[in-house]
Amino acid sequence: MLSVVLVLVFLSCGILAWRRRNRNKDEPPPLPGALPLIGHIHLLLGNSSQLWDLTKKMSYACLNAGGVASFYIGPRPMYLVTDPEDCMLITNTCLQKDAFYDFGKPWLGDGLITAAFPIWKVHRKLLNPAFNQFILDGFIDVFNRQARRLVKDLVGEVDKGPFDQFDYLLPSSLETTCLTVMAVDFSDKSLLNSKYVHATQNMYKFVTERFQKPWLHSDVTFNWSSLKRKQDESLKIMRNMSDTVLKKRKAEYLNNKKQAKPEDTAEGPKFTPFIDILLELAIEKGAFSDRQIKEHVDTLLLSGYDTTASALMYTMLLVGSYPEVQEKIGDELHNIFGDKDRDVTKQDLSELVYLEAVLKETIRMYPLAPIIARKLDQDIKLRNYTLSNGRTCLLSAYGLHRHPIWGPNVEQFKPERWLNSETLPQCPTAFSGFGMGRRICIGKSYALMSMKTTLAHVFRRYRVSGNHLLMKTNLDVMLKPVSGYYIKIEMRKKT
Ligand code: HEM
Ligand SMILES: *[C@@H]1O[C@H](CO)[C@@H](O)[C@H](O)[C@H]1NC(C)=O
Ligand SMILES: *[C@@H]1O[C@H](CO)[C@@H](O)[C@H](O)[C@H]1NC(C)=O
Ligand SMILES: *[C@@H]1O[C@H](CO)[C@@H](O)[C@H](O)[C@H]1NC(C)=O
Ligand SMILES: *[C@@H]1O[C@H](CO)[C@@H](O)[C@H](O)[C@H]1NC(C)=O
């Protein structure tokens, strides 16, 4: 009943919007497929694999339209942008996330991803130093240890045929992130670990389902839905983990302070988990409440583990699909490490140039966050159009990564393109796998360091094979594989 009323309200607002729309000359062209009154809303319905198909189709349509287009969710006009310069202008000017991000608020609160602009501005400044190179260098030991553990766990799959990489990568990345964010080792509490992984993956699905059901966009209707009850279940599991950890670490922090500080031997970076930096800011400077610390921890945990696990998954699959790429990675590793099985050092990381190119090219092909959104808080004058204040603007990394400025081989997997800065697109937003503008990913260097270390260990030991052309993906907030992503591994050196 309620949904019928809502549909009627939508329809009548639609009539008004339809009339108004046809007046504005400065509006970007509408994407194909709109129906009178409901606009593009019918395209949104369906499951998350259809949502992904739609995202690809609309991104290409937007590229064809010149890089800026409009579409209509019932009465609400929105924009889609795939032009690099315009994306840069928009994401440097508008720092307010769109209302869709509020769907993640029960979980991530005022963490950096979902925080409203005034809080984000203060907190991002406070957190930036936590990601400086000195702190990150202190994590290299953890990255090496975790990579060795992963390599060891994978032994069981050697010569056994295709297997689900995520069974290894998700727990491994979660443990790494738990260690660096909270200094907590969950490796032997696999129950909590797998429960948490399950809960977060479900949470992505719930948020996507809500997005695809416009009648659940309002809190009033959502609070009555079964989806809300399922979401609350997952939230309980995730909160339990960060609650437990925060309590423990806070007690330890206060306890350590009471004792005399251990002398800092000034020999290089020491390990400082992010939570200690947050606690110091909270306890010494009163910068955060307990709730805010928890929201930052939840945000860092999620954005740290899920993304790196996915990027590693896509990379191994792509490398397994292109033997010549795997060959070159092998050569680079051999040049740096010879036959030694030593740890990856800071120096090595800067020399793993080809491996980094492979990672970036993977994320170009498979952007983990294919679409991000901003709420326009002012009129934005682009080269050809003016976008109106108050509206939602979607920015398609998927489209940006297929823009003609990448050259004629834009659809091909070519890590080599990253090795020649002259042929790479100059506009920084052309590659937006880590977001764009002033709310760009805070963890980019962290992620690259961690992933390069992991892959160096894995490819030193194993040869992988797979076929990314068989993979099917969904858009569950993030780009998620559903099938066809399994790989096989064999030993690189037969001993
Ligand atoms: C392959 C790995 C990663 C990818 C592809 C990635 C991608 C992204 C993207 C696309 C955004 C922008 C979201 C938006 O504008 O709505 C973002 C933001 C963010 N990422 Fe990452 N990320 C990765 C790793 C990490 C890691 C390891 C961390 C932390 C340990 C992290 C923490 C964050 C945070 C806190 C934000 C919000 C920044 C802000 O709004 O100020 N990310 N990331
Ligand atoms: C999504 O829906 C389409 C069409 O109804 C169907 O073919 C497909 O199997 C569904 N995918 C998933 C992941 O449920
Ligand atoms: C702007 O308009 C010109 C000429 O019609 C077109 O070539 C170009 O692609 C458009 N660019 C954007 C970003 O809309
Ligand atoms: C919906 O539920 C949440 C808590 O689960 C509550 O904070 C919020 O105020 C509710 N909103 C409405 C409109 O009922
Ligand atoms: C939190 O997790 C612990 C350990 O798994 C469990 O004993 C406890 O009952 C959980 N608490 C809640 C509120 O779910």
Side-chain angles (χ1 to χ4, degrees):
M1 186 59 213
L2 199 51
S3 32
V4 175
V5 174
L6 279 172
V7 169
L8 287 178
V9 172
F10 264 128
L11 285 181
S12 42
C13 298
I15 298 174
L16 293 176
W18 189 258
R19 294 221 183 104
R20 207 177 29 203
R21 161 149 69 123
N22 292 331
R23 271 187 239 133
N24 191 345
K25 290 273 177 289
D26 222 11
E27 284 277 289
L31 290 169
L35 294 176
L37 310 181
I38 62 169
H40 297 84
I41 212 165
H42 59 291
L43 299 175
L44 219 60
L45 307 175
N47 57 33
S48 53
S49 107
Q50 288 159 305
L51 186 63
W52 176 230
D53 288 339
L54 177 71
T55 304
K56 288 191 282 190
K57 213 168 102 195
M58 291 308 183
S59 297
Y60 280 115
C62 186
L63 284 170
N64 284 334
V68 189
S70 56
F71 65 101
Y72 294 82
I73 301 295
R76 283 178 70 189
M78 300 186 183
Y79 303 113
L80 178 65
V81 188
T82 56
D83 179 80
E85 304 279 344
D86 287 346
C87 281
M88 188 159 72
L89 179 64
I90 294 163
T91 51
N92 278 331
T93 319
C94 294
L95 304 180
Q96 185 74 36
K97 294 280 176 91
D98 187 73
F100 289 134
Y101 286 76
D102 290 348
F103 297 170
K105 276 222 166 166
W107 174 13
L108 303 174
D110 289 330
L112 289 182
I113 292 183
T114 42
F117 172 65
I119 294 180
W120 171 82
K121 191 174 169 216
V122 178
H123 286 196
R124 173 86 190 215
K125 216 181 230 153
L126 288 167
L127 285 188
N128 273 337
F131 286 83
N132 72 31
Q133 197 57 49
F134 193 71
I135 303 272
L136 297 184
D137 287 344
F139 293 155
I140 293 183
D141 280 349
V142 174
F143 295 155
N144 272 298
R145 245 182 295 133
Q146 285 292 107
R148 283 186 191 282
R149 193 185 270 166
L150 176 67
V151 165
K152 200 164 142 232
D153 289 346
L154 284 172
V155 164
E157 298 289 350
V158 171
D159 298 332
K160 290 263 172 67
F163 66 97
D164 187 346
Q165 312 183 48
F166 266 147
D167 286 347
Y168 297 88
L169 295 175
L170 284 169
S172 164
S173 292
L174 179 59
E175 280 160 29
T176 310
T177 316
C178 282
L179 283 164
T180 54
V181 172
M182 321 184 289
V184 167
D185 192 342
F186 275 108
S187 53
D188 44 55
K189 292 179 198 145
S190 55
L191 185 64
L192 186 54
N193 186 322
S194 67
K195 259 187 169 169
Y196 182 88
V197 168
H198 198 68
T200 49
Q201 301 305 317
N202 275 340
M203 199 62 190
Y204 279 133
K205 295 201 177 108
F206 301 151
V207 169
T208 307
E209 186 175 337
R210 188 172 176 192
F211 172 74
Q212 287 188 282
K213 295 182 170 167
W215 58 92
L216 294 181
H217 285 188
S218 155
D219 271 347
V220 181
T221 42
F222 179 65
N223 274 9
W224 287 91
S225 68
S226 59
L227 191 59
K228 165 83 156 57
R229 284 192 293 282
K230 286 195 274 180
Q231 176 173 305
D232 285 346
E233 282 296 304
S234 292
L235 278 175
K236 221 169 31 193
I237 295 168
M238 296 186 292
R239 291 222 181 97
N240 189 359
M241 164 139 145
S242 43
D243 272 340
T244 316
V245 167
L246 180 59
K247 243 181 244 146
K248 183 160 164 267
R249 194 71 198 174
K250 193 169 176 183
E252 282 171 7
Y253 181 90
L254 292 171
N255 203 21
N256 279 349
K257 251 192 32 169
K258 257 185 266 153
Q259 299 157 9
K261 269 204 167 167
E263 262 139 74
D264 280 334
T265 44
E267 41 167 293
K270 68 175 183 14
F271 173 72
T272 315
F274 293 132
I275 199 169
D276 283 7
I277 300 173
L278 289 166
L279 283 168
E280 187 176 329
L281 285 165
I283 293 167
E284 315 295 332
K285 302 221 174 85
F288 310 117
S289 65
D290 272 6
R291 179 182 59 80
Q292 286 172 332
I293 298 182
K294 238 164 58 64
E295 290 168 351
H296 282 307
V297 165
D298 282 332
T299 299
L300 291 178
L301 263 188
L302 171 78
S303 44
Y305 106 88
D306 183 74
T307 48
T308 41
S310 296
L312 287 171
M313 191 290 293
Y314 290 115
T315 308
M316 301 228 267
L317 182 64
L318 275 165
V319 170
S321 311
Y322 295 92
E324 68 282 6
V325 171
Q326 186 151 206
E327 209 51 45
K328 282 193 189 168
I329 293 174
D331 292 346
E332 183 174 78
L333 290 172
H334 190 80
N335 285 340
I336 296 175
F337 299 100
D339 289 328
K340 294 211 183 67
D341 181 40
R342 62 172 176 80
D343 271 3
V344 177
T345 64
K346 192 178 150 188
Q347 174 68 26
D348 299 330
L349 286 176
S350 62
E351 288 171 18
L352 288 166
V353 179
Y354 188 73
L355 190 59
E356 182 164 321
V358 170
L359 270 167
K360 287 183 174 156
E361 183 68 352
T362 300
I363 297 173
R364 188 186 70 82
M365 298 280 285
Y366 295 105
L368 307 179
I371 297 266
I372 61 169
R374 297 289 184 270
K375 174 152 179 118
L376 303 181
D377 50 15
Q378 52 187 285
D379 286 352
I380 308 248
K381 199 156 170 39
L382 304 177
R383 272 167 303 164
N384 295 349
Y385 310 105
T386 302
L387 308 186
S388 310
N389 184 8
R391 293 189 182 167
T392 292
C393 183
L394 303 186
L395 305 125
S396 169
Y398 183 84
L400 282 162
H401 291 177
R402 278 150 188 83
H403 192 276
I405 56 173
W406 287 94
N409 59 5
V410 64
E411 298 286 349
Q412 288 161 22
F413 180 69
K414 287 259 172 274
E416 288 72 22
R417 75 173 82 243
W418 292 92
L419 304 178
N420 182 354
S421 59
E422 272 162 35
T423 51
L424 266 186
Q426 295 304 306
C427 183
T429 34
F431 177 67
S432 38
F434 290 94
M436 47 194 117
R438 288 176 58 197
R439 290 189 81 158
I440 199 168
C441 181
I442 203 172
K444 182 180 172 186
S445 305
Y446 172 109
L448 286 174
M449 286 174 70
S450 147
M451 294 188 297
K452 280 160 75 177
T453 308
T454 308
L455 291 175
H457 280 271
V458 169
F459 290 133
R460 248 170 16 181
R461 191 72 171 274
Y462 302 120
R463 194 180 298 282
V464 303
S465 54
N467 184 354
H468 75 112
L469 297 175
L470 299 179
M471 177 174 54
K472 299 241 180 330
T473 46
N474 278 357
L475 185 58
D476 282 318
V477 184
M478 309 292 275
L479 184 64
K480 294 279 176 189
V482 276
S483 66
Y485 62 95
Y486 288 16
I487 54 166
K488 289 190 281 193
I489 57 173
E490 55 183 321
M491 285 300 193
R492 179 168 282 278
K493 274 175 296 189
K494 304 261 189 239
T495 44

